[in-house]
Amino acid sequence: MKVLVTGGAGYIGSHTCIQLIKHGHTPVVIDNLCNSKAVVLDRIECVTGTRPAFMQGDVRDSSFLKRVFATHAVDSVIHFAGLKAVGESVEKPLKYYDTNVSGTLNLVREMQAANINSLIFSSSATVYGEPASVPIQEDFPTAATNPYGRSKLMAEECLRDFQHANPDWSITLLRYFNPVGAHDSGLLGEDPQGTPNNLLPFVAQVAVGRREKLGVFGNDYPTPDGTGVRDYIHVVDLADGHLAALDKLAYQAGIHVFNLGTGQGHSVLDMLHAFEAVAKRPIPYEIKPRRAGDIAECYADPACAKATLGWSAKKDLQTMVEDTWRWQSKNPNGYGG
Ligand code: NAD
Ligand code: UFG
């Protein structure tokens, strides 16, 4: 299949391009490079031997999208392009609604004009807000605790209404839990700009000497060691989840919703100790107050993805940490190094 990958130069998009190529698909990347670098395309070529077609531009720009669809006859679209920093979304909510909601609506409008009716959308476990229990199933109530989460929830709801009005469309909402890890070549990985918001990139930067110590946000949660528990999933497993959705559902009309997680929870200290063992060095940390908006525990029930897509996560915590460390130690300054 020829697949338009919006945000394909980003962390999850680039790994998905590699898996698409490996499985005989043809990705076409669009990205405005606001949170990524064009060198990612070189790395994809280095790993796969194929350089994806690339057009630089913004999903909010209708004339750009018209050009993209006029240039490439794509069968389906995977829509990763978006902004994801929770803290920034609180300070600049309109920026998040503009990119994550308006950008998605604009994309759908231009897809419709180009007669393409197959879409996979990057959603997030954040749409469950503070779940009443774990593991989380797809039919749990949704709620947003910050503008980023609300932008994902709004986009999901807009897509549901749109699919209802256009029943020949196939729209798949994939709710990711906590993506971590990197390509096992050490050539691609996560390259956060500025101070990392997420746990594993922060730990990796401490291990490589870019930061002094990790702040652990709270050790008084009702969890086995008091620190927050999350469902960390290897980015290549996550990428494979998109391939499974494409293979099974690209031509199945309907609105389809799946959790993409492992079903296993790990605490902050589990992650820290796993990283210390792999990097063979102590990782200094201090306990800090809880971070506003954080929840104690969040992990998926991944049964629905397994039953319908035949997909489940394969890579264990050791592999997630080893791959992260290989990427970080080979590229201490990310793609800019
Ligand atoms: P990322 O920032 O690495 O990738 C997003 C890409 O989209 C970047 O390359 C960026 O330059 C591009 N982009 C942003 N705005 C754009 C626009 N207006 N037009 C064109 N390109 C634009 O992030 P990621 O971690 O790869 O996340 C991909 C998607 O998955 C996002 O929608 C994110 O919200 C969602 N998601 C991520 C996580 C996570 O923890 N990484 C968790 C759940 C959901
Ligand atoms: N944590 C620390 N110190 C840090 C960073 C994080 O102790 O410096 C802790 C957090 O308190 C939490 C755990 O590590 O207990 C994971 O935190 P992350 O920031 O890595 O991930 P979150 O679960 O908070 O959120 C992430 C994304 C959201 C997304 C959500 C679900 O940032 O955008 O996963 O997919 F919505």
Side-chain angles (χ1 to χ4, degrees):
M1 248 183 265
K2 194 163 186 175
V3 184
L4 181 69
V5 183
T6 79
Y11 173 48
I12 307 170
S14 57
H15 288 82
T16 302
C17 285
I18 290 178
Q19 297 309 99
L20 284 167
I21 294 167
K22 262 177 77 175
H23 288 84
H25 298 290
T26 305
V28 172
V29 171
I30 62 171
D31 200 302
N32 67 358
L33 303 180
C34 72
N35 198 37
S36 54
K37 300 199 171 69
V39 68
V40 170
L41 298 156
D42 301 339
R43 303 282 177 102
I44 295 173
E45 183 176 8
C46 201
V47 168
T48 63
T50 302
R51 189 177 186 82
F54 173 58
M55 292 175 76
Q56 183 172 345
D58 198 299
V59 290
R60 294 165 297 176
D61 178 347
S62 303
S63 59
F64 168 67
L65 291 180
K66 283 187 204 305
R67 262 188 292 125
V68 169
F69 290 124
T71 311
H72 298 282
V74 301
D75 304 293
S76 188
V77 177
I78 308 182
H79 180 36
F80 293 105
L83 303 176
K84 61 171 182 177
V86 173
E88 187 191 43
S89 81
V90 175
E91 277 153 33
K92 299 177 180 164
L94 298 188
K95 183 175 170 185
Y96 276 68
Y97 295 127
D98 189 32
T99 297
N100 295 357
V101 184
S102 304
T104 300
L105 300 188
N106 201 39
L107 175 67
V108 167
R109 205 176 291 119
E110 294 307 327
M111 285 173 66
Q112 195 172 32
N115 278 320
I116 300 151
N117 63 2
S118 172
L119 174 69
I120 295 177
F121 174 69
S122 290
S123 189
S124 166
T126 193
V127 301
Y128 296 112
E130 186 151 13
S133 62
V134 282
I136 299 171
Q137 292 170 345
E138 284 82 353
D139 60 359
F140 274 27
T142 52
T145 54
N146 55 65
Y148 166 69
R150 199 162 293 114
S151 73
K152 287 288 169 187
L153 202 46
M154 282 180 181
E156 279 202 3
E157 287 173 352
C158 293
L159 290 172
R160 274 179 203 280
D161 287 345
F162 177 79
Q163 200 284 331
H164 187 71
N166 296 274
D168 57 324
W169 273 59
S170 165
I171 300 185
T172 303
L173 311 175
L174 297 180
R175 294 172 174 166
Y176 314 153
F177 280 67
N178 289 59
V180 296
H183 193 262
D184 63 7
S185 61
L187 287 170
L188 293 105
E190 190 170 6
D191 182 20
Q193 309 300 302
T195 309
N197 298 302
N198 297 118
L199 177 65
L200 218 60
F202 203 107
V203 170
Q205 291 193 7
V206 175
V208 85
R210 274 175 71 180
R211 299 189 186 272
E212 194 195 332
K213 62 181 160 191
L214 172 75
V216 173
F217 298 143
N219 66 349
D220 56 352
Y221 285 105
T223 60
D225 66 18
T227 65
V229 166
R230 296 290 183 276
D231 185 338
Y232 297 94
I233 174 168
H234 197 293
V235 64
V236 174
D237 276 336
L238 192 62
D240 284 340
H242 293 73
L243 263 78
L246 199 63
D247 288 346
K248 294 267 178 195
L249 298 174
Y251 299 119
Q252 286 247 16
I255 185 106
H256 315 285
V257 186
F258 299 99
N259 287 338
L260 295 185
T262 64
Q264 304 286 315
H266 293 287
S267 74
V268 175
L269 294 180
D270 288 341
M271 300 306 282
L272 182 113
H273 295 318
F275 216 100
E276 287 182 321
V278 164
K280 299 189 176 58
R281 62 196 67 188
I283 296 179
Y285 70 94
E286 71 176 323
I287 305 296
K288 293 243 182 104
R290 291 182 179 192
R291 183 171 65 181
D294 271 0
I295 57 177
E297 262 191 311
C298 173
Y299 56 91
D301 179 343
C304 192
K306 175 144 199 192
T308 308
L309 304 179
W311 170 90
S312 57
K314 301 278 179 304
K315 294 178 188 289
D316 60 11
L317 186 61
Q318 176 79 10
T319 310
M320 297 180 209
V321 172
E322 280 172 4
D323 289 344
T324 304
W325 180 233
R326 188 178 305 106
W327 154 253
Q328 186 70 69
S329 48
K330 278 181 145 186
N331 307 267
N333 296 309
Y335 291 112

